[in-house]
Amino acid sequence: MKKITLVLAFIGMITLQGCTVNEDNTNNIDNDTISEVFELRNVNFSFNPNDGYNIYRTLNPQIFASDVVLIYRLSGTIDANTPIWQLIPRTLFLPQGELDYDFDFSREDFTIYAGGTYNLANTPNFIQNQTFRIVIVPGFFSNKNISKVDFSDYNAVVNYFNIDESKIKQL
């Protein structure tokens, strides 16, 4: 009787291990691992006596708490098809003094700041008609070796995170 029970247990173990479960993952959308890029084109900084010059936008939908936001400013072009993007925070040393671009973000919004050691109204070309790219890097990528990417190089970030620039959304 013991041998029969042992044989049946062995056969049961073999047949249970032969079972597989096929999960259909084709309909799942993995929102937490998709990088996104938004563009603010030809925007002007608003002046607030308490905060100075800034640009404020909400994020809809909100990003995850683990996500990171990178912001690049269009500083010029090489030709019509080759923009030059500079990661902010950034300090520009101008004849009038220093001009600083900075930003902060939360899950719900972000603010881009412009400040300086002089009256920025004297250089409107740095606070009017500005273009920015906002890159949302999902927190999932923190598991990757992101030290390989040069965040100051917009093109390197786009390539590393496989961002499709044809899908850039205007804010």
Side-chain angles (χ1 to χ4, degrees):
M1 185 67 173
K2 289 182 183 180
K3 290 183 181 182
I4 292 176
T5 305
L6 183 61
V7 169
L8 288 175
F10 181 71
I11 291 173
M13 287 173 49
I14 290 173
T15 57
L16 287 176
Q17 288 209 355
C19 294
T20 61
V21 176
N22 291 330
E23 294 184 19
D24 182 15
N25 290 329
T26 57
N27 293 328
N28 293 342
I29 298 173
D30 191 4
N31 289 323
D32 65 337
T33 58
I34 299 171
S35 296
E36 292 183 277
V37 178
F38 300 96
E39 186 170 278
L40 292 172
R41 185 176 289 169
N42 299 322
V43 294
N44 297 329
F45 282 86
S46 300
F47 182 75
N48 179 323
N50 297 327
D51 297 328
Y53 290 94
N54 65 62
I55 298 169
Y56 172 83
R57 295 290 190 274
T58 58
L59 294 169
N60 188 11
Q62 295 181 359
I63 61 175
F64 293 98
S66 59
D67 291 350
V68 175
V69 173
L70 302 171
I71 299 183
Y72 297 85
R73 178 181 163 267
L74 180 64
S75 64
T77 58
I78 294 173
D79 56 43
N81 296 319
T82 312
I84 301 170
W85 297 103
Q86 290 182 330
L87 179 65
I88 60 175
R90 180 81 175 173
T91 299
L92 303 178
F93 300 97
L94 306 172
Q96 297 85 352
E98 293 180 14
L99 182 140
D100 297 309
Y101 292 105
D102 203 352
F103 74 99
D104 63 29
F105 72 94
S106 71
R107 293 182 60 208
E108 302 170 358
D109 58 19
F110 65 89
T111 305
I112 303 171
Y113 301 96
T117 60
Y118 67 97
N119 182 356
L120 299 186
N122 294 334
T123 53
N125 55 317
F126 289 102
I127 56 174
Q128 296 176 358
N129 298 318
Q130 297 296 300
T131 299
F132 296 93
R133 290 258 172 106
I134 295 83
V135 180
I136 299 174
V137 179
F140 165 82
F141 286 118
S142 64
N143 295 336
K144 294 177 82 174
N145 186 2
I146 60 173
S147 63
K148 293 180 182 177
V149 64
D150 177 8
F151 289 108
S152 65
D153 181 352
Y154 172 79
N155 294 317
V157 171
V158 166
N159 290 334
Y160 188 78
F161 293 111
N162 298 319
I163 295 171
D164 184 356
E165 287 197 281
S166 68
K167 296 181 180 178
I168 293 175
K169 302 170 192 165
Q170 298 292 319
L171 290 180

